[in-house]
């Protein structure tokens, strides 16, 4: 490579360092006629040197010591739960149907599926309303099990997917402002702990949906104000709410859609896909059927508190004797 006299002079100290590092610099050849020097060296070795950690070090690197270790304990399920930020306001601004908007629920599920397809170590995800929980298998080593990396990747993938797929579910209705989701990471060491966590979230789904179904029936069908509806429901039990729904609005809560009452569970399942191909046999084209099994993310709207779901899908949880 050809360098100006000044440039070559400035680079001489660096090339001396290269020599100390045993990078083959052949020599400097002066060209008096042109006032330049020709540096002969092994360019491949030079490129390797320029991109090595030797060049990256500086006096400012000490700031890395301020980073805290957030590695998740091994042999534990890692749960990343996302919750919509200010989603009551977001739902009002975008005219979500009450008490449940199937478009919004479908978009949440589609965004969650995008996260699972990106991070295949997620063995199950559960969602309801404006939240979704993602469970990584105990042996996962994604991002070296760093909690901050896992949480931010899940949150960013989910949020961007929510925006990306918005039109699939809301058509021409404009997205007025970006949605926000906050996240947290929790570790569960046993199958029992993890199942209890998912049972807690599904029980929360039932409690909230029953209340919202009665509340909005009183407001939208019963003509009460929101304050009057709140007052009427104060101190009521589940049986009382079911009675109000049935006696005043002829609604049998147990016949409400499962997605509203049970939420959505996403798991990996093997699906058989059948296709037809044209092949040549003895110079004749024949159509043959080919069946292949592929793992895909599938949605289930069912009870996950009892044992039946887990017996039907034993591959989800690892055997830990619990």
């Amino acid at each position: 490579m050809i360098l100006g006299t000044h440039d070559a002079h400035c680079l001489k100290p660096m090339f001396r360092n290269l020599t100390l590092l045993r990078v083959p610099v052949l020599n400097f050849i002066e060209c008096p006629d042109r006032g330049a020097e020709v540096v002969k060296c092994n360019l491949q070795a030079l490129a390797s040197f320029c991109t090595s950690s030797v060049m990256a070090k500086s006096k400012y690197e000490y700031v890395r010591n301020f980073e805290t270790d957030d590695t998740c304990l091994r042999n534990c399920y890692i749960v990343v739960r996302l919750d919509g930020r200010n989603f009551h306001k977001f739902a009002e601004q975008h005219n979500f149907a009450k008490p449940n908007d199937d478009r919004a629920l479908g978009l949440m599920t589609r965004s969650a599926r995008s996260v699972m397809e990106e991070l295949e170590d997620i063995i199950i995800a559960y969602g309801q309303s404006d939240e979704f929980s993602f469970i990584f298998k105990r042996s996962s080593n994604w991002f070296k099990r760093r909690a901050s990396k896992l949480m931010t990747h899940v949150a960013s993938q989910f949020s961007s997917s929510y925006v990306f797929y918005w039109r699939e579910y809301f058509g021409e209705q404009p997205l007025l402002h970006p949605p926000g989701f906050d996240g947290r990471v929790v570790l569960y060491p046993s199958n029992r702990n993890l199942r209890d966590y998912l049972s807690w979230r599904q029980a929360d789904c039932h409690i909230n949906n029953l209340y919202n179904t009665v509340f909005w029936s009183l407001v939208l069908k019963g003509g009460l104000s929101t304050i009057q509806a709140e007052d009427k429901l104060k101190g009521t039990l589940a049986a009382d709410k079911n009675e109000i729904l049935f006696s005043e609005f002829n609604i049998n809560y147990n016949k409400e859609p499962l997605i509203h009452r049970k939420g959505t569970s996403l798991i990996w399942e093997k699906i058989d896909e059948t296709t037809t191909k044209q092949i040549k046999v003895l110079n004749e084209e024949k159509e043959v059927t080919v069946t292949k099994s592929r793992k895909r993310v599938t949605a289930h709207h069912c009870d996950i508190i009892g044992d039946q779901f887990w017996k039907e899908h034993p591959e989800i949880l690892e055997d830990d004797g619990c």
Side-chain angles (χ1 to χ4, degrees):
M1 59 183 176
I2 308 297
L3 300 174
T5 305
H6 176 72
D7 294 332
H9 177 74
C10 294
L11 289 174
K12 278 184 179 181
M14 185 185 79
F15 285 114
R16 290 195 193 97
N17 290 336
L18 292 179
T19 305
L20 292 174
L21 290 168
R22 298 183 180 179
V23 175
V25 178
L26 302 183
N27 56 19
F28 287 86
I29 302 174
E30 294 187 0
C31 299
D33 295 339
R34 297 185 180 273
E37 293 183 345
V38 178
V39 179
K40 297 177 66 178
C41 67
N42 186 316
L43 294 180
Q44 186 176 0
L46 177 61
S48 175
F49 171 79
C50 291
T51 57
S52 70
S53 59
V54 176
M55 293 289 285
K57 289 187 179 297
S58 71
K59 66 179 182 180
Y60 306 110
E61 276 193 280
Y62 77 92
V63 297
R64 295 182 62 183
N65 297 326
F66 286 82
E67 294 184 21
T68 57
D69 182 16
D70 62 349
T71 304
C72 294
L73 188 66
R74 293 198 172 276
N75 203 36
C76 289
Y77 292 107
I78 303 172
V79 176
V80 178
R81 186 166 88 241
L82 301 184
D83 290 281
R85 183 176 180 274
N86 291 333
F87 248 59
H88 288 295
K89 183 178 179 181
F90 185 88
E92 289 177 3
Q93 291 174 329
H94 292 89
N95 300 313
F96 283 11
K98 304 293 186 181
N100 294 287
D101 191 308
D102 288 329
R103 299 170 303 169
L105 293 174
L107 180 55
M108 289 286 292
T109 300
R110 182 63 187 90
S111 302
R113 182 154 65 88
S114 173
V115 173
M116 288 188 69
E117 290 169 347
E118 179 73 15
L119 300 170
E120 294 183 7
D121 274 5
I122 297 173
I123 52 176
I124 183 172
Y126 176 78
Q128 50 111 352
S129 187
D130 64 342
E131 72 167 56
F132 242 100
S133 297
F134 300 89
I135 292 84
F136 288 79
K137 62 185 182 181
R138 290 193 303 201
S139 58
S140 177
N141 200 37
W142 278 91
F143 303 113
K144 298 181 180 179
R145 296 180 70 86
R146 290 190 60 183
S148 56
K149 290 274 191 177
L150 291 166
M151 182 176 63
T152 52
H153 189 92
V154 169
S156 61
Q157 181 74 24
F158 190 93
S159 301
S160 58
S161 297
Y162 195 96
V163 174
F164 185 81
Y165 293 111
W166 173 267
R167 291 190 65 179
E168 281 191 21
Y169 295 87
F170 286 86
E172 296 303 316
Q173 180 176 330
L175 180 62
L176 301 178
H177 60 82
F181 296 89
D182 62 68
R184 72 203 70 188
V185 175
V186 187
L187 306 181
Y188 294 102
S190 72
N191 290 345
R192 184 73 268 164
N193 294 150
L194 180 61
R195 283 189 56 180
D196 285 347
Y197 168 79
L198 291 170
S199 298
W200 171 48
R201 300 321 304 146
Q202 188 166 70
D204 186 74
C205 173
H206 164 71
I207 293 168
N208 290 338
N209 188 66
L210 177 57
Y211 180 90
N212 288 333
T213 302
V214 182
F215 178 86
W216 288 108
S217 294
L218 291 170
V219 173
L220 300 177
K221 298 178 181 180
L224 299 185
S225 68
T226 55
I227 295 176
Q228 289 172 329
E230 286 178 4
D231 289 338
K232 183 167 183 174
L233 293 176
K234 279 182 181 177
T236 57
L237 302 176
D240 301 322
K241 295 181 179 69
N242 276 290
E243 179 60 28
I244 293 172
L245 282 175
F246 190 75
S247 62
E248 296 188 26
F249 305 104
N250 198 30
I251 295 175
N252 184 344
Y253 182 74
N254 290 327
K255 292 185 178 180
E256 289 293 287
L258 284 172
I259 187 175
H260 301 163
R261 295 188 289 119
K262 302 295 184 182
T264 301
S265 299
L266 298 178
I267 62 173
W268 290 98
E269 287 190 287
K270 283 186 178 180
I271 304 295
D272 290 335
E273 294 182 345
T274 302
T275 57
T276 57
K277 289 186 177 181
Q278 297 286 338
I279 63 171
K280 279 190 176 182
V281 178
L282 299 176
N283 294 326
E284 291 184 12
E285 283 198 354
K286 288 190 175 182
E287 195 174 82
V288 296
T289 301
V290 179
T291 301
K292 292 183 179 180
S293 292
R294 291 182 57 189
K295 283 182 66 178
R296 305 187 76 174
V297 178
T298 59
H300 297 260
H301 312 296
C302 61
D303 178 75
I304 58 173
I305 297 176
D307 294 331
Q308 186 62 33
F309 173 82
W310 303 100
K311 287 178 179 178
E312 292 175 357
H313 305 284
E315 72 283 355
I316 297 176
L317 301 179
E318 300 171 51
D319 184 17
D320 64 356
C322 297

